[in-house]
Structure formats: C-alpha cells, structure tokens
Amino acid sequence: MSAGPLAGLRILEVGHILAGPYATMLLADLGAEVTKLEPPGGDLSRQVSDAYFASLNRGKRSVRLDLTTPQGQERLHELVCDTHALLVNLKPTAIRRCGLTYEDLKAYNERLVCVALTGYGMDAGDEPAFDYVVQAATGIAALTGDPDGPPLLPGYSSADNSAGLTAALGLLAQIVSGRGGQVEVNLRDVMLSQLNYRAAAYLNEGTAPRRMPGGAHSYYVPAQLFPTAEGHLALFVTHDGFWRSFAAEAGIDEPAFATMADRSARRDDVIAAVTKALAADTAENWEARLRPAHVPAAAVRTLPEALDRTPGAVIEAGDYRLVGSPVRVAGYEPVYGAPPRLGEHGGLVAHHPPPE
C-alpha cells in the first residue's frame, strides 16, 4: 500500500468539540500529521464522553499548551516554524487574543496557511454560533418538518460537520496554491451556501421555500417519504425514466403523469396515487422490488440498522469502533490510530525539516 495522499503534511489544530476537530481528523485519515494544541483542561469534547472525543480525534497527537502565557506563545511559535497549516476553531476575539492569525504568525513561517473557523466570520464579533443556532438562523429549521407542525432540526450536527468539510477544503486549496495566508470559513455562510437552489429560486424568481409533507422536494415529483404497509419509504424520482420503471412495478397506469411537468402540475394527484400503491407492501419489500429497476428508493432505517447493513464502514481506532473515512484512495488504506490522551505528546514534537 502507498502512503496517504497527505503524507508529510503537518497540521496544528486549536479548537473544541466538533467542526475544527472533524476537519483535521479527515485530513489525518488521509495521512496528514495532526497535532492538537489543547489547553490545560483539554478539548471540551473530552468532557462529553470518551467515545464522542474518539469520533473526532482518532489518529492525532496531543500537546498540552496554555496559549495565554508567554511560554505557551513561545512554544506555539516554535511549532509553527515546522508546520504547513494551522486550523483554529474558536471565537474571533480568542483567535486574536491567542495570536493565531496569519498576521500574528507569518514572521515565524511565511508559507503557513492559517484557517479560522468561526460562527459568523472574524469581523462579526463573538455572538454564540452553536450548530443548532446556526441551523435556525439560516432557514434550515424553517424548511424541516411537516407544514402543519413546528420547525425541526436534523438529528445530527449538520452545520458543524459541513463547516468542517469546507474548512478542510479551504486549507488544502491554499496549500496547493503554494502561498501562505489567511483562510476564513464560518458556519452561517456554509449553511447558506448549501441552500443553493433554494436560495437561487428566491433570489432570482421570488419563490420563498416552504415545508412540504414528507419532506417533499420542491421540483421533483414524487420525491419524498411515503408510508407503506410497514415503515416508510424514501422515493426519489428525478426523471421520467425512473417514473416509468416505478409506475410499472407499482401498477400505476396514468398517462397524465408521464412527464415531470405533468407530475409537478398534478402533484397532489400523483402523491395520492403513489401513497395508495405503496400501501400494498412494506418499505423493505418495496426497496427490494425497486432496486432491480434502478429506481432510487430506500426504506427508512435507524442508525443501528444502517450500520448493521454497512459493516465495511466501521473501523477500529485503538479501543474504539468508529465510522471510517468517507474518502477512498486507490492503493491507500488508512491507518486509524487511537485518539490521543490529553498531553500524550507533551511539549515535545519530533523535529522536521521546514516545509518546502
């Protein structure tokens, strides 16, 4: 097996909980050497649970460092000299107070890439920006749930995870440029960006998004959750070929539904016909029946059920069973190291030549 595509890349991480640590863990999975600079009390996720911390920090190093002291700053500057990138996930004032911007550090390494991952941007102040708050502020919650019910939140940290992915992309993009510099990513802008076609419809056509039954798609019909004889089925018909295959299996013979334009214009009638047809069998059986016809459909499962059906996604990292990297690189198999103990690597980091 070859070395990871990011082998030789050295990254420092300063932050807590989820977005920043998730970004650097993905990079570590691809071969980068990631060192967490943790305050005396450690990353706050250590206080949540050991499994929580492991899920975001496998394969990293941990150096305990108090960045509010002259000694901590001196050690930071030493570490930066032999580092390609620094990713920080703190409030803007804390990032500046601890000297973690490119302007603060370029004297020690002009080619250093500094990534600031914040809630609303470095110039937006310290307004609290936790995941659920950002989902509420950017329209995600208002788009989720039944139209006759309250707004809802997804059952996982979509804003933090999405921001982590974006921060990893920004970090690598600046490294590829060959230049040092400051990169900014904030949770609010990431979530607004992910509302792409919803935002475009409003900005260009004046069409405000609205919640629809079953989480229905605003363009494709039928594309939503449906009740069945047992369980719910996600059906996602995005073109007329899918519809023909589905209609043949479901026994729906209605020429007025032939095209997407027809189905969109007759949404209520289509949904009623599909709901009636799907009531004749279970969600699991419908999935099995539709798969040979290549119709996008899946029974709604719990996370335990999904993991049981996808054993290859689960890896071992020390004493923990976790979901592995979503990136597959030909010829490379990630080595999933255990999450580090607080200060496991002390203040000593192996010497490396300066980044090329």
Side-chain angles (χ1 to χ4, degrees), residues 32-272:
E33 179 186 277
V34 175
T35 301
K36 292 178 69 69
L37 303 185
E38 299 193 63
D43 182 331
L44 292 174
S45 67
R46 291 184 183 275
Q47 301 174 24
V48 179
S49 77
D50 291 341
Y52 188 108
F53 179 80
S55 74
L56 299 164
N57 293 285
R58 61 175 175 243
K60 300 180 185 179
R61 302 159 57 85
S62 172
V63 171
R64 205 174 184 187
L65 202 60
D66 187 349
L67 293 172
T68 66
T69 66
Q71 296 84 357
Q73 284 292 306
E74 182 179 355
R75 186 66 182 124
L76 169 68
H77 299 157
E78 293 173 356
L79 292 170
V80 159
C81 290
D82 289 342
T83 295
H84 295 90
L86 166 69
L87 189 147
V88 186
N89 183 192
L90 297 172
K91 293 180 179 180
T93 57
I95 293 175
R96 293 191 174 96
R97 184 172 64 250
C98 293
L100 297 170
T101 69
Y102 180 72
E103 285 300 311
D104 295 318
L105 298 171
K106 65 181 180 181
Y108 306 96
N109 182 352
E110 190 172 292
R111 298 185 67 178
L112 180 70
V113 173
C114 291
V115 180
L117 179 48
T118 64
Y120 300 104
M122 286 292 287
D123 297 325
D126 284 353
E127 183 178 349
F130 291 92
D131 185 287
Y132 285 6
V133 173
V134 171
Q135 291 191 50
T138 55
I140 305 297
L143 275 170
T144 308
D146 189 88
D148 296 325
L152 296 175
L153 295 168
Y156 79 110
S157 300
S158 63
D160 277 339
N161 281 291
S162 298
L165 284 163
T166 308
L169 173 63
L171 182 152
L172 293 175
Q174 188 65 14
I175 285 180
V176 168
S177 77
R179 303 184 301 272
Q182 185 70 53
V183 175
E184 284 195 47
V185 173
N186 71 74
L187 273 69
R188 178 201 59 203
D189 290 356
V190 167
M191 298 315 287
L192 288 174
S193 171
Q194 292 195 351
L195 289 172
N196 35 52
Y197 65 85
R198 294 281 200 175
Y202 174 70
L203 293 171
N204 296 282
E205 302 163 2
T207 304
R210 59 190 178 92
R211 278 180 275 158
M212 301 176 72
H217 197 278
S218 55
Y219 292 106
Y220 306 129
V221 182
Q224 62 182 72
L225 297 180
F226 289 94
T228 69
E230 181 181 326
H232 284 74
L233 183 80
L235 180 65
F236 206 68
V237 174
T238 59
H239 62 67
D240 297 338
F242 285 155
W243 172 255
R244 288 191 294 271
S245 297
F246 169 74
E249 183 64 33
I252 300 175
D253 184 13
E254 176 50 76
F257 299 164
T259 69
M260 184 60 75
D262 293 333
R263 294 191 298 279
S264 182
R266 298 170 174 81
R267 178 185 288 269
D268 290 346
D269 293 337
V270 173
I271 299 308

